[in-house]
Amino acid sequence: MRIRKGLRDTELQRESRERDACAVVAVIEKDGLPRRSSIGRALAALQRMEHRSGFVRGEGDGCGLLLDLPRRFWHQRLAQYLPAQEARLAYSPRFAVGHLFAPRDAAGGAWEEAVRSLFRAAGFRVLWQGRGDVLSEALGPLGRAAEPLFWQVTVVDEKEVPPRGNPSQQRWQREARLFELRLRLEQQPGVHVASLSTWTVVYKALGSAATLPAYYGDLAAPSLASAACIGHNRYSTNTTPSFGRVQPFTLLGHNGEINTDRRLRQETEMLGIPVNPQGSDSQDLNRALEGLIYRLGLTPLEAMEAMFPPILDEIRQYPADWQDAYAYLRSAWGPFAQGPAAVVFRCGHTCVFSVDALGLRPLWQLETGQEYVFSSEQGVVPLAEMVAEPRPLGPGEKVAVQLPERPGEADSDSAAPSAPDGDARLLAYEDLQEEVVRRVRRRWPVQGYREDLSGPAPGREWEERVEPVPGPKAEFPPTWQLYAFGWQREDQQFVQHMAQTGAEPIRSMGCDLPLAALAPEGANLADYFKESVAVVTNPAIDREREMEHFSTWVQLGPRPSLSGTGPHGGQEARARLSLPAPVLAALPGGREVLPERAAGVAPPSPGLPPLPARWRALRPAWLSLTRPASEPLQVAVARLQQEAVALARAGSEVLVLADHRAWQCPDSGERLLGIDPHLALAAVDQALRQAPGHTGNDAADDAGDGAADHAADNAGDDAGGDAAGDAKGGRGNLRAVPAGAAAMFVTGLFNMLANIPVMTFLQENVPPERQGRVFAVLMAGAGAAQPLSMAAGGWLGDTLGVRTVFVLSGLLLMPLVAAMVAIRPLREAR
């Protein structure tokens, strides 16, 4: 099956983030020896799964391979250009290869010198650089139009000659320096770094699985071999294909989508890790993992387990020491990469294979006599070659393979590495978790963090505590009001059917609730945003699984660090407060945090046992979600932002946004209006994130006696925050209906005053036998001009502003009307 898609690359599309749904495969040699057969197996698997690839006009969305750095291959190539002693540096652990995509006009002395200077400044000496061996004719028309310059760079690290200390540790430090160098290279206009490492190289192209070996001449070399090979077929669901977005990236291949991509991007940037503004959700995921490993020093297993943590209901079933470790990881980073995803990952000698917590993306574990194979489909390996039953990874499951090190690989410059010590080691999820818990407990002070997991999980029992707030009975607006705002007959029938029967009509997945604009009592900002689109890749989630997987657990207070070293991570114990849900006033005892009640705190309740003492320790501060009637909303929001930043700098670690005083009349007599909780929370969150020093305090939205629910923003010292919430109440926009109706009446009146004289003139002066043709030409001209006038008016409104266009239109019409009025007297005078 081939999927035909149109090419779209709009600002709206880029703003909504890029998402992929693809095919992945990984082939790992059990004995750890690099072989060409692993590359052949991966390419054959990708070709068998081309039905999982996207095709545009017969061309694939992209295909790529992540391979071992082929040292024998590079030794043979460098021997053609360099002395024998220099060529043998290809076997050195200090040797690295970079694959760069650059603009096609980048070749020349200036480009080469720019690349050399960047490597030289980072402590690396360039041995050879030049155009890679590619065949442009293997690409289709779209691929050739987007084809970049494929540039290969081979370097040797001169910062550590001779090696000192632990060779393995030095190699990780070298990879961290190469990561920083990749960031600097990508600052060059139009440059994408496909790979730059002492461990791996990436070959990828804009085309299908059959295109890849035809395009890259290196893949045909007999000396090109790999002990672990990761392959990827791209199926872009809503992005424009490009060479840079083709996977695998430097660490992973990803089948699925990150639905929380904007949050992942925010948190990554809060850690000081830059992301590519034009990157996809998969690129953001790859960059975040790079930052956790190379900047914060997490091991690959720790980084993957932190990025895709178990659900809280599972963590509560773990042993006590495991609960401490996982509660700490959830507090320090959090589940910021949510969505259906199957991931094949490699960093150094560690490979990890992961499935999302709901199991929405398939990943199969296969085994032959010589290889471990992980693939989107089990049919990529013939049954006759399998030595074990194919096994799909379960929801949330991870499997790891540790490749063996080869003697001389980490500390020798003089000879090719010999055979590996032992075989590749397969780690089941429980073994992987045991390793992660051991490292986390040794690195950070995690004791006692399991207390944050205690307390009732929000479910039916908690929901029954929330009493519905009675409201006025809604009446359906009159028909003339609906017509005034563009509601046609079928639109009215649609909502009338829902209101009368309570049954949802058959349509695409999404929200079928009445529009917020029709709510007579008003609605909050979030109620105006609805989804009405078929999401065929994400199946519906039943209520039980939704309650189990989508936890509302939130932690307030300083976020623990991921960058500390030593037995306690360089940290001191600091106050924190965990809530079963980010809804303060609706929880038992939650109303006691309001300033009017904080003095006489009620006894601890089952929902929030440690609230009173720990709440005071967080030094909370309150921001009122109210504004005087005379204060414009924009001014009030800006004031809230300034107050939030000032309170955070003064030492408050929790900010409570409370609207319980809204719609009251204080002693001054001026009524206090409410500020939409979602708008206020988003504005305060942005202000805290953008403030110098990233204050990163907590913002909690608490609506007291008003009709709003409550939300909390958990923002840590190091990595930003988490905003969530739901609100009801406020005042609606139906007050604009009379004004709109009046405007429509005035418009119709002036149309009548213009059309009646014109029609009367034509009927009096055009012979009856010609009136049909005259009126047809007139109506056709008016109909054809209408869309042109609307387009021109929209463009002028965006460019000059609506008010300016309105005034100019009036000024232009005045002399035109005066001229029309003067024509008849002039004719009569003649």
Side-chain angles (χ1 to χ4, degrees):
M1 179 179 67
R2 297 202 169 207
I3 309 297
R4 297 182 61 85
K5 304 183 303 179
L7 287 176
R8 299 183 61 192
D9 190 16
T10 63
E11 289 295 331
L12 177 61
Q13 186 179 28
R14 288 195 292 270
E15 178 64 21
S16 64
R17 303 306 313 128
E18 311 280 11
R19 313 205 191 284
D20 301 337
C22 326
V24 293
V25 66
V27 181
I28 302 172
E29 300 290 336
K30 288 182 176 180
D31 58 9
L33 288 174
R35 292 187 177 89
R36 280 196 58 78
S37 60
S38 64
I39 302 176
R41 172 84 74 184
L43 284 172
L46 293 175
Q47 291 182 18
R48 290 191 180 102
M49 293 189 292
E50 279 197 338
H51 56 277
R52 299 180 66 91
S53 305
F55 281 82
V56 180
R57 302 174 191 171
E59 299 181 38
D61 274 355
C63 181
L65 293 175
L66 173 67
L67 312 173
D68 293 353
L69 192 157
R71 297 182 179 277
R72 183 182 169 207
F73 167 83
W74 277 108
H75 172 244
Q76 294 177 356
R77 173 171 289 188
L78 292 178
Q80 303 174 19
Y81 307 102
L82 304 174
Q85 184 177 0
E86 290 279 276
R88 292 202 67 82
L89 289 174
Y91 294 115
S92 168
R94 301 183 293 114
F95 177 78
V97 173
H99 286 180
L100 282 63
F101 291 154
R104 280 179 287 186
D105 58 356
W111 160 256
E112 295 187 29
E113 182 53 38
V115 172
R116 286 182 180 273
S117 63
L118 286 173
F119 277 94
R120 189 164 50 245
F124 294 90
R125 176 167 62 92
V126 175
L127 298 175
W128 177 88
Q129 67 173 348
R131 285 174 177 258
D133 181 15
V134 297
L135 180 65
S136 299
E137 289 73 15
L139 303 174
L142 296 175
R144 286 196 297 271
E147 182 186 14
L149 171 69
F150 177 54
W151 198 262
Q152 291 178 301
V153 186
T154 61
V155 299
V156 63
D157 184 8
E158 292 192 323
K159 193 171 183 179
E160 300 165 353
V161 180
R164 299 181 299 274
N166 187 328
S168 179
Q169 183 180 5
Q170 286 187 352
R171 190 164 190 180
W172 280 106
Q173 294 173 351
R174 185 179 297 118
E175 285 295 315
R177 289 167 50 216
L178 288 172
F179 166 66
E180 301 297 335
L181 180 55
R182 286 201 299 272
L183 298 180
R184 288 192 288 272
L185 286 168
E186 288 183 350
Q187 293 176 2
Q188 303 296 314
V191 174
H192 170 76
V193 181
S195 60
L196 176 58
S197 173
T198 64
W199 270 310
T200 55
V201 293
V202 171
Y203 291 93
K204 59 183 183 179
L206 188 55
S208 64
T211 303
L212 192 67
Y215 181 66
Y216 286 105
D218 293 358
L219 295 179
S223 58
L224 195 77
S226 184
C229 179
I230 287 177
H232 187 277
N233 274 346
R234 188 168 188 257
Y235 178 11
S236 170
T237 56
N238 62 353
T239 68
T240 301
S242 69
F243 271 78
R245 289 179 181 150
V246 177
Q247 300 183 46
F249 299 117
T250 58
L251 296 180
L252 60 83
H254 173 224
N255 167 31
E257 59 187 45
I258 302 300
N259 295 328
T260 56
D261 182 39
R262 177 167 296 186
R263 180 64 190 279
L264 175 63
R265 177 178 288 255
Q266 285 180 342
E267 298 295 337
T268 303
E269 291 176 334
M270 291 284 286
L271 285 177
I273 304 168
V275 296
N276 185 351
Q278 302 300 325
S280 67
D281 59 331
S282 304
Q283 284 175 282
D284 292 343
L285 174 62
N286 187 87
R287 179 57 53 81
L289 285 167
E290 286 181 316
L292 292 178
I293 294 170
Y294 297 129
R295 282 198 172 178
L296 299 184
L298 273 67
T299 65
L301 294 180
E302 290 173 309
M304 282 292 288
E305 196 70 344
M307 188 63 66
F308 303 105
I311 62 175
L312 286 174
D313 275 4
E314 285 189 13
I315 296 177
R316 292 188 179 101
Q317 309 304 318
Y318 290 162
D321 56 341
W322 285 35
Q323 290 186 30
D324 282 337
Y326 277 100
Y328 184 92
L329 284 179
R330 289 280 300 233
S331 300
W333 175 247
F336 304 139
Q338 294 294 298
V343 178
V344 289
F345 165 95
R346 180 189 177 178
C347 182
H349 294 292
T350 302
C351 302
V352 183
F353 310 99
S354 173
V355 171
D356 61 272
L358 286 167
L360 299 180
R361 287 294 184 270
L363 191 61
W364 288 81
Q365 178 183 335
L366 314 169
E367 186 176 351
T368 70
Q370 180 178 301
E371 305 152 328
Y372 296 116
V373 179
F374 295 84
S375 175
S376 296
E377 297 182 4
Q378 57 179 320
V380 300
V381 175
L383 286 174
E385 298 184 29
M386 295 184 185
V387 298
E389 192 73 20
R391 189 182 73 86
L393 269 64
E397 184 180 2
K398 298 182 185 69
V399 175
V401 177
Q402 292 281 8
L403 294 169
E405 288 200 21
R406 306 170 69 188
E409 186 179 35
D411 56 7
S412 175
D413 287 352
S414 58
S418 57
D421 285 335
D423 295 333
R425 188 165 64 104
L426 184 69
L427 297 179
Y429 192 25
E430 186 175 351
D431 300 326
L432 184 155
Q433 290 181 297
E434 185 72 47
E435 177 70 16
V436 170
V437 169
R438 182 179 64 83
R439 291 181 176 273
V440 170
R441 289 177 59 82
R442 185 175 61 186
R443 186 182 309 203
W444 294 300
V446 302
Q447 292 78 9
Y449 267 82
R450 63 180 178 272
E451 297 176 4
D452 298 338
L453 305 173
S454 61
R460 290 188 180 91
E461 299 158 354
W462 176 77
E463 290 171 354
E464 291 172 359
R465 298 174 182 266
V466 184
E467 299 180 359
V469 179
K473 183 178 179 180
E475 297 181 0
F476 205 76
T479 302
W480 67 269
Q481 290 184 353
L482 297 174
Y483 272 121
F485 283 90
W487 279 74
Q488 304 302 318
R489 183 179 300 276
E490 61 180 10
D491 301 319
Q492 299 176 40
Q493 293 174 346
F494 178 80
V495 296
Q496 283 175 342
H497 172 79
M498 292 178 59
Q500 293 170 359
T501 66
E504 297 185 5
I506 299 175
R507 58 175 298 176
S508 61
M509 294 173 60
C511 183
D512 294 332
L513 298 175
L515 296 181
L518 299 181
E521 75 278 5
N524 284 316
L525 185 65
D527 296 320
Y528 288 87
F529 296 90
K530 307 295 183 186
E531 180 188 21
S532 179
V533 59
V535 185
V536 297
T537 59
N538 298 343
I541 306 300
D542 57 80
R543 179 173 176 81
E544 285 68 27
R545 284 193 298 166
E546 182 177 1
M547 292 173 59
E548 177 185 2
H549 285 75
F550 298 94
S551 172
T552 56
W553 177 76
V554 64
Q555 188 174 37
L556 304 180
R559 179 177 295 174
S561 174
L562 283 173
S563 58
T565 58
H568 300 291
Q571 302 177 65
E572 297 179 358
R574 301 180 69 180
R576 63 186 188 277
L577 175 63
S578 294
L579 304 177
V583 184
L584 299 184
L587 288 174
R591 295 290 298 277
E592 309 306 331
V593 305
L594 295 177
E596 295 85 349
R597 308 188 183 191
V601 176
S605 63
L608 298 171
L611 176 62
R614 293 196 180 185
W615 185 258
R616 294 192 188 97
L618 290 174
R619 292 172 290 180
W622 286 263
L623 288 170
S624 177
L625 288 185
T626 59
R627 62 185 177 94
S630 60
E631 184 181 30
L633 178 61
Q634 186 174 2
V635 176
V637 171
R639 172 177 53 78
L640 269 180
Q641 291 179 311
Q642 295 174 0
E643 293 175 358
V645 173
L647 289 170
R649 287 174 174 166
S652 295
E653 295 179 345
V654 172
L655 302 182
V656 184
L657 310 183
D659 67 353
H660 61 292
R661 295 176 179 172
W663 314 111
Q664 297 179 4
C665 294
D667 297 338
S668 62
E670 187 176 13
R671 191 178 188 185
L672 294 177
L673 304 181
I675 301 176
D676 185 276
H678 288 79
L679 175 62
L681 190 63
V684 170
D685 179 71
Q686 288 185 1
L688 293 176
R689 291 179 186 276
Q690 297 171 3
H694 297 301
T695 54
N697 294 288
D698 299 300
D701 166 32
D702 180 273
D705 297 325
D709 290 337
H710 321 281
D713 174 31
N714 175 26
D717 285 342
D718 298 313
D722 175 23
D726 185 20
K728 301 173 185 176
R731 293 297 181 266
N733 290 336
L734 274 180
R735 300 170 184 171
V737 171
M744 295 293 291
F745 174 79
V746 173
T747 301
L749 176 63
F750 278 92
N751 282 337
M752 178 187 66
L753 294 177
N755 289 335
I756 289 178
V758 172
M759 295 302 175
T760 303
F761 174 82
L762 292 176
Q763 290 177 357
E764 290 179 351
N765 294 275
V766 178
E769 65 274 8
R770 296 183 180 179
Q771 286 183 5
R773 283 176 288 177
V774 170
F775 281 109
V777 172
L778 179 64
M779 293 298 102
Q786 187 173 4
L788 298 177
S789 64
M790 293 178 66
W795 177 78
L796 288 172
D798 291 339
T799 305
L800 303 177
V802 176
R803 292 185 178 181
T804 303
V805 173
F806 183 80
V807 173
L808 290 177
S809 300
L811 294 177
L812 292 175
L813 284 175
M814 290 173 62
L816 180 61
V817 172
M820 294 176 65
V821 172
I823 286 177
R824 186 165 184 174
L826 290 175
R827 287 182 175 178
E828 294 177 351
R830 291 180 181 177

